[in-house]
Amino acid sequence: MLNKDGCDSLEGLQITIGEMLDFNVSKSLREGNATNNSSCGSVSVGFPITMMITGMVGNSLALMLVYISYKKKGNKRKRSFLLCIGSLALTDLFGQLLTSPIVISVYQAGLKWDRIDSSGKLCAFFGVCMTTFGLCSLFLASAMAIERALAITNPHWYSNNMKTSVTKQTLAVIWCLVLLFALLPTAGVGEYTRQWPGTWCFISTGDRSNMFFAITFAVLGIFSLLVTLFCNVVTIRGLIIRCKTKSGTSQSSKQWERLTTETVIQLLGVMCVLLICWSPLLVLMLRMISNQVSSHDCKSVASRDVQLDCNFFLTAIRLASLNQILDPWVYLLLREILFRKFCIVANAVSHCSIEERKETQSALDALNKQKQDSIKPS
């Protein structure tokens, strides 16, 4: 029912149609957000729980395999690469363990961050974790790409100079530098704020005072992606060239061809996963910085474009978090489980095609011989 006082009031007649429409639109948006927030607490909480469990299982399996392989005496040449994979799995595992429980707690609190963090310190901690583990994953992927490129393109230098101590020092430097960068907002450079829909904290992109920190994060991420892609392309090219030089019918050449096929498939998978998971977030960050829009403004701004950016930003950060789950499978587990089966099928198909070409060629030779015999004078 309508309010009687409101209907009888002459002041209510002075409201213009435009104001009524604006009021109704903003009211519907608020009601829609309230409905979404109330439903997200019971529905969307399954998303961070599933990601945390899946990430823990995959990265734990990867750490176990790396530890077993590292202890084998015959794997001394692979220890640098195993250290990189182990560090990446450990980084992704800690990233899941430190951030997912906070997100789950916020969902359980009805998307009310203030209920679990009235002081705002937990938000800063969450932002530091997101920045640290995100950049560390990208830089570790770049370190592995550089390590592989050196091993393939310059094996003699690699075997003489690439020691495990150098790898450990490089990994420690990456960790320390990224952590120092993530702690810059505590010194007044940049800021971590709550992001839409209020279940996580990340770098603020809407204020000019935070522009340097936000741009630096996006540029470092894009630079790391480009380095990884470039080094993987160099590695694939080097593998193909060496495979052609070693082509033959011997057992060693066949083994080298199989190893090359596995590695090329793996590197292509790594590049696809990195591009799909990280490119949307980094590109969208640069766009939001240029437009001076931040995800924490979604609740107060009713603009359609801002709402779309906020929804895309949430999807982009989920894709980046998905990379922590996919890393151990792409780098290690899938290679052990699926790549060998794929290569067996590929070899079987190529073998069948070779046999078919041989049979076809034999039939053609026989047909030509028959024609030549029929042309000969009797």
Side-chain angles (χ1 to χ4, degrees):
M1 292 179 61
L2 291 174
N3 190 326
K4 184 178 179 181
D5 295 335
C7 293
D8 294 338
S9 175
L10 293 176
E11 294 178 359
L13 297 176
Q14 297 176 355
I15 302 177
T16 62
I17 295 176
E19 290 173 341
M20 291 175 66
L21 290 174
D22 290 340
F23 175 77
N24 290 332
V25 170
S26 61
K27 181 179 179 182
S28 63
L29 284 173
R30 290 195 300 270
E31 291 176 350
N33 290 338
T35 303
N36 292 336
N37 290 344
S38 62
S39 62
C40 280
S42 59
V43 178
S44 299
V45 69
F47 189 84
I49 291 176
T50 303
M51 290 187 67
M52 183 180 69
I53 295 175
T54 309
M56 288 174 60
V57 172
N59 287 295
S60 298
L61 287 175
L63 285 172
M64 290 173 59
L65 288 176
V66 168
Y67 178 78
I68 294 172
S69 300
Y70 190 83
K71 290 297 181 180
K72 290 182 180 179
K73 294 182 179 179
N75 282 338
K76 290 184 178 180
R77 294 183 178 180
K78 299 180 181 179
R79 284 190 172 181
S80 294
F81 186 67
L82 290 173
L83 281 173
C84 291
I85 291 184
S87 299
L88 180 62
L90 192 64
T91 300
D92 292 337
L93 180 62
F94 271 98
Q96 292 285 334
L97 290 175
L98 291 178
T99 57
S100 294
I102 300 175
V103 176
I104 296 170
S105 299
V106 177
Y107 273 107
Q108 294 298 323
L111 302 182
K112 305 287 186 181
W113 186 281
D114 293 332
R115 290 184 182 179
I116 65 170
D117 180 32
S118 58
S119 64
K121 293 181 180 179
L122 187 61
C123 182
F125 172 78
F126 194 97
V128 170
C129 289
M130 291 287 288
T131 303
T132 301
F133 294 113
L135 280 182
C136 271
S137 296
L138 288 171
F139 283 137
L140 289 175
S142 298
M144 282 189 285
I146 295 171
E147 188 268 348
R148 276 192 301 264
L150 291 175
I152 295 300
T153 58
N154 201 344
H156 297 293
W157 182 92
Y158 178 86
S159 59
N160 293 328
N161 297 280
M162 200 64 182
K163 309 297 181 181
T164 55
S165 59
V166 176
T167 305
K168 292 177 181 178
Q169 293 172 4
T170 303
L171 295 175
V173 168
I174 291 174
W175 252 96
C176 291
L177 290 179
V178 171
L179 182 60
L180 289 175
F181 173 78
L183 290 173
L184 284 179
T186 61
V189 181
E191 184 184 7
Y192 294 117
T193 56
R194 275 179 284 175
Q195 308 291 326
W196 172 261
T199 57
W200 57 292
C201 293
F202 196 54
I203 302 169
S204 176
T205 57
D207 300 330
R208 286 186 174 273
S209 58
N210 302 323
M211 190 176 296
F212 171 77
F213 184 67
I215 291 177
T216 304
F217 176 87
V219 170
L220 287 176
I222 293 174
F223 174 76
S224 177
L225 277 179
L226 293 176
V227 170
T228 303
L229 295 178
F230 174 78
C231 291
N232 284 341
V233 170
V234 170
T235 302
I236 291 174
R237 180 177 177 273
L239 283 170
I240 294 174
I241 292 175
R242 291 186 66 180
C243 186
K244 289 180 179 180
T245 59
K246 291 178 178 291
S247 61
T249 58
S250 63
Q251 187 67 25
S252 61
S253 62
K254 291 181 179 179
Q255 185 177 4
W256 179 258
E257 289 177 2
R258 178 185 59 79
L259 181 62
T260 300
T261 304
E262 290 181 1
T263 307
V264 169
I265 295 171
Q266 182 191 30
L267 294 179
L268 290 174
V270 168
M271 290 189 289
C272 290
V273 168
L274 283 174
L275 285 175
I276 293 172
C277 290
W278 278 102
S279 296
L281 176 64
L282 299 174
V283 173
L284 187 58
M285 277 190 70
L286 291 177
R287 178 189 170 186
M288 295 178 74
I289 292 169
S290 63
N291 295 334
Q292 294 185 11
V293 175
S294 183
S295 180
H296 69 270
D297 296 330
C298 290
K299 292 184 179 180
S300 59
V301 179
S303 172
R304 178 181 175 84
D305 293 336
V306 174
Q307 291 291 334
L308 286 176
D309 284 342
C310 292
N311 290 330
F312 284 141
F313 198 59
L314 179 61
T315 303
I317 201 66
R318 284 176 171 172
L319 282 174
S321 300
L322 186 64
N323 184 68
Q324 295 178 330
I325 299 173
L326 296 177
D327 274 342
W329 296 95
V330 173
Y331 280 100
L332 192 64
L333 299 178
L334 281 182
R335 183 185 177 105
E336 297 291 336
I337 298 172
L338 296 179
F339 284 176
R340 297 189 186 279
K341 293 183 180 180
F342 178 87
C343 291
I344 290 173
V345 174
N347 289 333
V349 172
S350 62
H351 179 71
C352 291
S353 62
I354 291 172
E355 293 296 330
E356 289 176 357
R357 286 198 298 269
K358 288 182 179 179
E359 292 177 0
T360 304
Q361 187 64 35
S362 300
L364 289 174
D365 292 340
L367 184 61
N368 291 330
K369 186 175 182 181
Q370 290 178 0
K371 287 182 178 180
Q372 290 176 0
D373 292 341
S374 61
I375 294 174
K376 289 181 181 180
S378 56

